[in-house]
């Protein structure tokens, strides 16, 4: 009996027991599809974070007030310090030769209102450099003028959604809104932009940083964003920033500097580990499918005892009987895996059409790992039933006697 004969024989057996075959294919297909879909979720999250950080701009450094020593893992998001990082500190850091643009940030929630309409949004106090660092542009009007680097001018730039909520389709440029207890004249509306790191840039108001100091009564910066020149070296710039801060803070280096790459690397490590972990958890379903294969194969051996005895009587060896049952299991795993892969890829294609902003993509290794795991479990759990079939005595088997 050659390989093609064995495949035809096993296909005939699978067709004879359709319910059993269908249940096994369903179990294997669900297991394989689960591994692919769950790892795709992790991979989609990883790519989403990468895209969000790329949208922040290229070659960026972020300076936080406070010093936090970190060993391994992600860099800290917040630092703690008794000394504020001030606008004067930011201006001194901005003079470093490798820095292209800099944007001090003071942020807080505040009520923005126009007539009877009001909305609580995040208000960002910054300078014109904020638009360059974050690569933002206006759909109408202008960004903050250069004078806002030093003056607390009553002007603001609204996000696209905030403009619609307050003005509908009316013209907003030149109109006045109230932010907190102060009035600001609208001079620009941001272009449509999605969320970035949890901040919906459509639903913010940008005001001069000096105005934000007064509005939030906060002389210290929330953070300082820096974009480096193309030739700028991040490590050199970090050293220069620390030197500037030490000179201004009585010899104390009390700021935390993180680069875009270090944050991205931290998220990438976490999400890659998470993806592998949930893929391994999903593989438990393949283990369950393997147990199901073993149990049903043992029942099959019992039901087909006379058939096995007849095969042995006409000359089939122990190895051929064992290979027949192993081949039947591997054929089931192969068909079930193909169905699972096709089902998962179809769902992923549908998801990308329904939610293009968060596309799920199967990592290159997930399909190989899912199918390989299915075959390994298939061989392991069908070995015992195959050995039992091979060890049957042909005479007793044909009489249906269990030894």
């Amino acid at each position: 009996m050659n390989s093609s004969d064995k495949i035809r024989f096993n296909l005939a057996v699978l067709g004879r027991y359709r319910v059993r075959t269908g249940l096994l294919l369903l179990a294997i297909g669900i297991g394989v599809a689960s591994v692919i879909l769950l790892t795709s979720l992790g991979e989609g999250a990883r790519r989403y974070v990468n895209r969000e950080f790329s949208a922040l701009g290229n070659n960026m450094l972020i300076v936080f007030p406070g010093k936090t020593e970190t060993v391994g893992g992600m860099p800290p998001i917040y630092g703690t310090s008794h000394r504020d990082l001030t606008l004067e500190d930011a201006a001194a850091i901005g003079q470093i030769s490798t820095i292209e643009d800099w944007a001090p940030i003071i942020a807080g929630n505040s009520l923005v209102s126009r007539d009877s309409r009001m909305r609580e949004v995040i208000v960002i106090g910054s300078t014109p450099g904020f638009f360059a660092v974050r690569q933002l542009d206006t759909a109408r009007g202008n960004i903050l003028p250069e004078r806002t680097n030093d003056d607390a001018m009553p002007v603001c730039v609204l996000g696209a959604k905030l403009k619609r909520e307050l003005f509908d389709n009316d013209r907003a440029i030149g109109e006045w809104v109230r932010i907190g207890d102060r009035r600001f004249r609208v001079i620009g509306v941001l272009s449509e932009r999605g969320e970035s790191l949890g901040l919906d840039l459509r639903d913010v108001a940008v005001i001069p940083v000096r105005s934000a100091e007064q509005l939030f009564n906060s002389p210290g910066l929330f953070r300082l964003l820096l974009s480096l020149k193309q030739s700028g070296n991040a490590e050199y710039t970090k050293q220069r920033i620390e030197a500037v801060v030490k000179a201004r803070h009585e010899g104390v280096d009390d700021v935390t500097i993180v680069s875009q790459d270090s944050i991205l690397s931290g998220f990438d490590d976490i999400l890659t580990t998470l993806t592998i972990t949930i893929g391994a958890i999903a593989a438990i379903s393949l283990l369950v499918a393997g147990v199901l294969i073993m149990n049903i194969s043992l029942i099959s051996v019992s039901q087909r005892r006379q058939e096995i005895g007849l095969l042995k009587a006409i000359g089939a060896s122990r190895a051929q009987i064992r290979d027949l049952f192993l081949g039947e299991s591997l054929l089931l795993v192969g068909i079930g895996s193909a169905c699972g892969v096709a089902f998962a890829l179809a769902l992923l294609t549908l998801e990308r059409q329904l939610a293009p902003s968060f596309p799920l993509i199967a990592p290159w290794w997930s399909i190989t790992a899912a199918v390989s795991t299915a075959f390994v479990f298939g061989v392991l759990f069908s070995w015992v039933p195959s050995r039992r079939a091979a060890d049957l005595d042909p005479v007793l088997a044909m009489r249906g006697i269990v030894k």
Side-chain angles (χ1 to χ4, degrees), residues 63-115:
V63 182
F64 297 93
K67 190 71 173 179
T68 302
E69 296 292 342
T70 302
V71 179
M74 285 185 56
I77 300 301
Y78 296 99
T80 57
S81 173
H82 298 296
R83 192 190 306 272
D84 289 328
L85 181 65
T86 64
L87 272 172
E88 289 70 25
D89 294 330
I93 292 172
Q95 299 304 312
I96 295 174
S97 60
T98 53
I99 293 176
E100 179 77 31
D101 291 297
W102 55 282
I105 301 291
I106 295 176
N109 287 319
S110 185
L111 202 63
V112 181
S113 62
R114 176 199 175 233
D115 297 334

Side-chain angles (χ1 to χ4, degrees), residues 43-55 197 263-264 267-268 271 358:
E43 179 69 8
R46 191 181 70 82
R47 295 191 180 210
Y48 177 79
V49 170
N50 283 344
R51 189 174 66 251
E52 290 292 299
F53 273 97
S54 298
L197 298 178
I263 297 176
L264 190 58
F267 274 110
D268 194 64
L271 292 173
F358 189 82

Side-chain angles (χ1 to χ4, degrees), residues 12 17 20 27 52 55 85 107 120 136 169 192 198 225 262 270 279 284 327 333 346 360 375:
Y17 303 98
R20 186 198 74 176
E52 290 292 299
L85 181 65
E120 185 171 353
L136 297 175
N169 294 324
E192 282 284 354
L225 306 181
S262 63
I270 290 174
I284 293 175
V333 171
L360 300 184
F375 272 99

Side-chain angles (χ1 to χ4, degrees), residues 338-361:
C339 293
V341 171
F343 177 68
L345 294 181
L347 277 185
L348 292 178
T349 302
L350 179 63
E351 188 278 338
R352 286 196 289 273
Q353 293 178 349
L354 296 177
S357 61
F358 189 82
L360 300 184
I361 299 173

Side-chain angles (χ1 to χ4, degrees), residues 204-378:
V204 298
V206 184
I207 64 175
V209 68
R210 290 295 186 186
S211 301
E213 272 187 332
Q214 299 170 3
L215 180 66
F216 297 115
N217 191 25
S218 171
L221 299 180
F222 175 55
R223 64 186 63 175
L224 172 63
L225 306 181
L226 306 169
S227 66
L228 306 185
K229 294 178 179 177
Q230 290 298 325
S231 57
N233 182 284
E235 287 304 318
Y236 169 77
T237 307
K238 284 182 181 179
Q239 294 173 8
R240 293 286 299 120
I241 292 171
E242 290 169 353
V244 170
V245 171
K246 278 184 179 179
R248 296 183 56 82
H249 289 191
E250 301 174 349
V252 179
D253 174 21
D254 56 357
V255 296
T256 300
I257 307 168
V258 297
S259 66
Q260 185 179 359
D261 290 341
S262 63
I263 297 176
L264 190 58
S265 175
F267 274 110
D268 194 64
D269 291 344
I270 290 174
L271 292 173
T272 299
T273 304
L274 180 64
T275 301
I276 295 173
T277 302
I278 59 178
I281 293 173
I284 293 175
S285 59
L286 289 173
L287 179 66
V288 174
V291 174
L292 184 62
I293 289 175
M294 184 175 69
N295 289 336
I296 293 183
S297 295
L298 287 172
I299 296 172
S300 175
V301 170
S302 177
Q303 291 176 335
R304 296 167 58 191
R305 191 177 296 113
Q306 293 179 331
E307 177 185 328
I308 297 168
L310 179 60
L311 287 172
K312 282 196 161 187
I314 61 177
S317 64
R318 290 181 67 255
Q320 287 176 319
I321 298 296
R322 183 194 61 209
D323 291 346
L324 272 179
F325 277 84
L326 279 176
E328 180 184 332
S329 297
L330 293 180
L331 192 59
L332 272 172
V333 171
I335 298 173
S337 297
C339 293
V341 171
F343 177 68
L345 294 181
L347 277 185
L348 292 178
T349 302
L350 179 63
E351 188 278 338
R352 286 196 289 273
Q353 293 178 349
L354 296 177
S357 61
F358 189 82
L360 300 184
I361 299 173
W364 64 268
W365 51 266
S366 65
I367 296 177
T368 303
V371 174
S372 300
T373 304
F375 272 99
V376 169
F377 285 154

